[in-house]
Amino acid sequence: MATSVIQSGTAPLFLGDDLALDFINSAYGPSGARIDHFEDPERTSAWFAAAGLATPTAGRARGALSAEARQLRDHARDLVERRKRGEPADPGLLNCVLEAGSAYATLDWPAGDVPSIAMHERAEGTSGLLLPVANALATLLSTANFDLVRKCESDECTLWFHDRTRSHHRRWCSQATCGNRMKVAAFRARKRG
């Protein structure tokens, strides 16, 4: 499958209303014009920074993150699609990433204030950088109402979203892009008919 060249101004899309779905949506578009934000280390680091996640500074670690992010994204897409269809799936790769982290508590006791417990996450290597995404994916798969996890209704769109609207009638990844295109197409079809 050919991948299009991402122009330097092509910003990552965060339309999924869920970190796990935004991670899956880091590759989108029809075959031959597909955009992949994990295609190389620079684009991967830019996506992670835009998502507010930590990124490695060393070149080799950045390359490893890019490769591991693509692998986890493909696995995540498969898990979400299977969950949507009500089919079982093997979460092995996701569990490997989740195992890379370990939670621990510390007691914070500021001078003149009441002590409190703070939870921290320790993560090793590049898999640790994927830990926030893996946690979001595990939470989505285990707790989300999958009637509200949807793929954009536009025939040409591959993006997923979590419908958090009050009416739960969201149909498109973005009203401004796919929603507008679909409404214009419907209007033109009515005018012809």
Side-chain angles (χ1 to χ4, degrees):
M1 166 182 2
T3 303
S4 71
V5 175
I6 299 176
Q7 303 299 323
S8 59
T10 302
L13 299 175
F14 293 97
L15 304 169
D17 287 328
D18 187 284
L19 177 60
L21 296 174
D22 287 331
F23 182 75
I24 291 170
N25 291 342
S26 63
Y28 57 92
S31 289
R34 193 159 176 83
I35 294 173
D36 186 347
H37 286 279
F38 299 159
E39 188 173 286
D40 61 46
E42 290 75 29
R43 292 182 187 132
T44 304
S45 291
W47 188 93
F48 272 71
L53 302 174
T55 59
T57 55
R60 181 175 290 162
R62 290 174 70 201
L65 176 62
S66 189
E68 288 182 33
R70 283 191 307 272
Q71 186 178 17
L72 181 60
R73 181 187 58 211
D74 293 345
H75 183 65
R77 182 177 292 113
D78 181 59
L79 292 175
V80 167
E81 288 173 350
R82 286 176 178 264
R83 174 76 166 84
K84 184 70 178 169
R85 292 190 305 258
E87 299 173 358
D90 177 8
L93 179 61
L94 174 62
N95 287 336
C96 285
V97 175
L98 290 169
E99 290 170 7
S102 62
Y104 65 96
T106 59
L107 183 66
D108 289 345
W109 199 337
D113 207 351
V114 176
S116 64
I117 294 176
M119 293 304 297
H120 304 278
E121 189 78 45
R122 181 184 0 252
E124 305 275 329
T126 53
S127 289
L129 296 171
L130 291 168
L131 195 56
V133 172
N135 283 326
L137 181 58
T139 300
L140 176 77
L141 290 167
S142 64
T143 65
N145 175 351
F146 258 70
D147 289 338
L148 302 177
V149 174
R150 302 181 181 133
K151 208 171 205 181
C152 181
E153 286 187 18
S154 173
D155 293 336
E156 296 177 9
C157 189
T158 61
L159 299 176
W160 285 85
F161 62 88
H162 191 169
D163 183 359
R164 298 181 191 267
T165 62
R166 184 178 301 198
S167 65
H168 301 302
H169 289 104
R170 183 174 169 189
R171 299 173 58 195
W172 302 290
C173 62
S174 167
Q175 185 65 32
T177 55
C178 288
N180 190 44
R181 276 195 297 261
M182 296 296 286
K183 287 179 179 180
V184 167
F187 174 77
R188 288 181 180 157
R190 283 192 306 272
K191 289 290 249 183
R192 279 182 290 203

